[in-house]
Amino acid sequence: MNNFEFCNPVKVVFGKGSIARLSTLIPEGSKILMLYGGGSIKKNGIHTQVSEALKDYPLTEFSGIEANPHYDTCMKAVELARRKKTDFLLAVGGGSVIDATKFIAAAICFKGDPWDIPAKNAPVERAMPLGVVLTLSATGSETNERAVISNISEGQKLGFATPAVFPAFAVMDPEATYSLPAAQVANGVVDSFIHVIEQYLTYPVDAKVQDAFAESLMRIIREEGPRALKDPLDYNIRANLMWAATNALNGWIGQGVPQDWSSHRIGYPLTVQFGLAHAETLAVILPGVMQYMQKEKQEKILRLGAAVFDITEGSTKERVEKTIDAVELFFRDMGLKTRLHEYGIKETDLDALTSPIDRLGWKLSEKGHIGTKAAREILLLRL
Ligand code: NZQ
Ligand code: ZN
């Protein structure tokens, strides 16, 4: 196991009725800016629950944060927060609203051009405190220090990570996810599964706790995911998926182990250039990364096959192939497409999709050997 230092300071308040606990979590008298997306929280009653819980606070609202949140939208919220002398930000939504709120929290306190935070890795010394009411389990953003922002005029989607944007708390009521359309449930299941994979499917370093934890999370996500589609109002299924997605990316399983993240990074241009949802990019790319790196990842692919998909029979080569097929089939069972042509993407599109990787100086995978050329080969496998 590799050395590590780790602290996750996010307080989790989990369960039915937990939104009512908000007033115990935000310092009295705080001037709150509540941020949300395109309006789902107005239809499903979450907006009413939050407003009721915070009726004694001065509250301003900022709505319209889009999926894959835009830098320009975030900067409008920064301006509003400054004008209203906000001192606490409350994100009510999924990964996009949470990520936007993290960026806004950092941008408010940042001297200089805030786009430098993701684009130039500019250090973030301070950020405004923020809290989260989660409405979609997928990204794990509710308990981590990461965010991904899209800059439409630059044609870029970029991430950043800094402890300054850890939320102070995450309120997680599984009932808040009942109103999700099936496609968003499926996206969340696939995204959280692949978060585990990106931290697990590398090479072994004898990290027994992390490996066993990761395998149990994948098994749970794989079992509960299809059940959530069949039985959308089952509380325990939603609760288990929500907690699994949080644990998939709250830092615990990734300590002391090599990590990959190439499927995520190769996927960003697919969102920017072709509008695929985040999880849709991953469902296409991950089986290609597994195939392309099957030698380097062989030991972990075999473990994954046995522990999560019960693949124990056949030669090494057969078990590796069966496992890659089983992963792709799981995504298809969840209703996601797994091939580029299904999105109308052709071989002639691949150069534009992969050229950002070298331009940004990214050396992807746990081996650091995937640049533009290798990413193109991976996408070629996925046409
Ligand atoms: O905008 P509204 O109207 O709220 O609708 C949203 C949005 O259209 C809807 N939704 C959310 N909760 C709902 C609901 N609809 C009905 N009922 C509810 N309870 O769902 C749609 C998608 O929401 P979004 O927040 O975009 O989804 P997700 O949570 O998958 O977040 C995706 C974003 O997170 C980033 C992705 O790149 C993408 O930008 N990621 C962030 C990570 C992190 N911070 O650690 C890691 C991830 O790998 C990922 O990159
Ligand atoms: Zn993801």
Side-chain angles (χ1 to χ4, degrees):
M1 196 189 310
N2 302 330
N3 292 2
F4 63 88
E5 287 184 25
F6 179 54
C7 170
N8 186 321
V10 184
K11 175 168 181 164
V12 172
V13 181
F14 190 99
K16 279 182 197 180
S18 48
I19 294 174
R21 304 265 305 132
L22 270 175
S23 63
T24 66
L25 300 168
I26 303 178
E28 215 175 300
S30 299
K31 292 192 213 60
I32 303 172
L33 179 61
M34 168 181 168
L35 301 113
Y36 54 99
S40 67
I41 65 163
K42 291 221 161 149
K43 294 191 197 118
N44 61 11
I46 305 292
H47 185 275
T48 310
Q49 287 186 51
V50 172
S51 308
E52 178 59 25
L54 297 179
K55 61 181 182 313
D56 296 330
Y57 290 80
L59 188 69
T60 306
E61 296 185 15
F62 182 89
S63 63
I65 294 173
E66 46 290 277
N68 308 297
H70 295 178
Y71 168 76
D72 291 341
T73 308
C74 293
M75 291 313 290
K76 286 182 191 149
V78 168
E79 204 185 295
L80 179 65
R82 286 191 176 135
R83 195 149 36 83
K84 292 284 182 180
K85 304 206 180 334
T86 296
D87 47 29
F88 195 93
L89 302 174
L90 181 67
V92 185
S96 294
V97 171
I98 305 168
D99 284 10
T101 304
K102 289 174 176 174
F103 180 73
I104 293 159
I108 289 171
C109 304
F110 191 75
K111 292 186 179 63
D113 178 359
W115 185 243
D116 286 352
I117 299 170
K120 296 188 182 159
N121 234 345
V124 174
E125 270 137 36
R126 269 180 344 106
M128 183 165 284
L130 67 120
V132 170
V133 175
L134 185 66
T135 67
L136 193 173
S137 41
T139 63
S141 186
E142 64 278 6
T143 59
N144 72 35
E145 77 286 41
R146 303 165 176 227
V148 192
I149 303 294
S150 296
N151 188 323
I152 301 305
S153 54
E154 305 265 328
Q156 283 182 324
K157 178 172 180 177
L158 296 174
F160 70 97
T162 162
V165 300
F166 266 120
F169 61 80
V171 170
M172 298 168 56
D173 181 347
E175 289 187 329
T177 66
Y178 284 170
S179 56
L180 283 166
Q184 295 298 349
V185 175
N187 284 349
V189 166
V190 168
D191 188 25
S192 54
F193 186 86
I194 295 178
H195 291 157
V196 182
I197 291 259
E198 297 270 36
Q199 299 163 88
Y200 168 86
L201 203 68
T202 56
Y203 53 88
V205 292
D206 199 22
K208 293 190 167 62
V209 173
Q210 296 89 322
D211 283 345
F213 191 0
E215 285 160 3
S216 66
L217 288 173
M218 287 188 284
R219 186 132 199 147
I220 291 161
I221 295 167
R222 191 217 157 195
E223 284 169 5
E224 300 296 292
R227 287 184 191 148
L229 294 181
K230 280 200 205 86
D231 221 341
L233 302 183
D234 184 304
Y235 180 82
N236 287 326
I237 293 172
R238 296 292 189 158
N240 280 303
L241 279 176
M242 186 176 252
W243 191 227
T246 297
N247 280 280
L249 202 49
N250 62 1
W252 285 92
I253 61 166
Q255 298 308 313
V257 297
Q259 303 192 10
D260 183 343
W261 297 107
S262 49
S263 297
H264 270 70
R265 296 284 189 91
I266 298 170
Y268 291 165
L270 282 165
T271 295
V272 177
Q273 297 177 32
F274 287 90
L276 273 70
H278 172 61
E280 291 174 340
T281 70
L282 303 174
V284 171
I285 297 165
L286 176 73
V289 171
M290 290 176 75
Q291 207 177 331
Y292 185 82
M293 288 185 69
Q294 56 183 288
K295 285 218 171 61
E296 293 89 337
K297 292 180 185 291
Q298 178 175 294
E299 264 188 77
K300 291 304 263 309
I301 294 178
L302 293 173
R303 265 193 78 148
L304 169 74
V308 181
F309 296 99
D310 301 318
I311 294 167
T312 51
E313 309 271 302
S315 66
T316 297
K317 187 168 175 291
E318 281 163 355
R319 281 182 289 147
V320 166
E321 281 167 9
K322 278 190 209 169
T323 304
I324 298 173
D325 289 348
V327 167
E328 181 167 357
L329 188 63
F330 168 48
F331 300 157
R332 294 201 83 88
D333 282 348
M334 290 304 299
L336 275 88
K337 300 174 177 127
T338 56
R339 294 281 167 176
L340 290 167
H341 72 81
E342 296 175 273
Y343 291 104
I345 299 171
K346 302 181 286 300
E347 190 172 347
T348 47
D349 298 316
L350 299 190
D351 287 337
L353 283 168
T354 51
S355 59
I357 296 173
D358 280 353
R359 208 168 52 235
L360 291 161
W362 290 350
K363 297 190 187 330
L364 305 178
S365 92
E366 66 274 19
K367 302 274 180 196
H369 71 317
I370 295 183
T372 290
K373 187 167 168 285
R376 194 180 189 287
E377 283 171 39
I378 289 167
L379 290 186
L380 257 183
L381 295 170
R382 304 309 299 159
L383 282 173

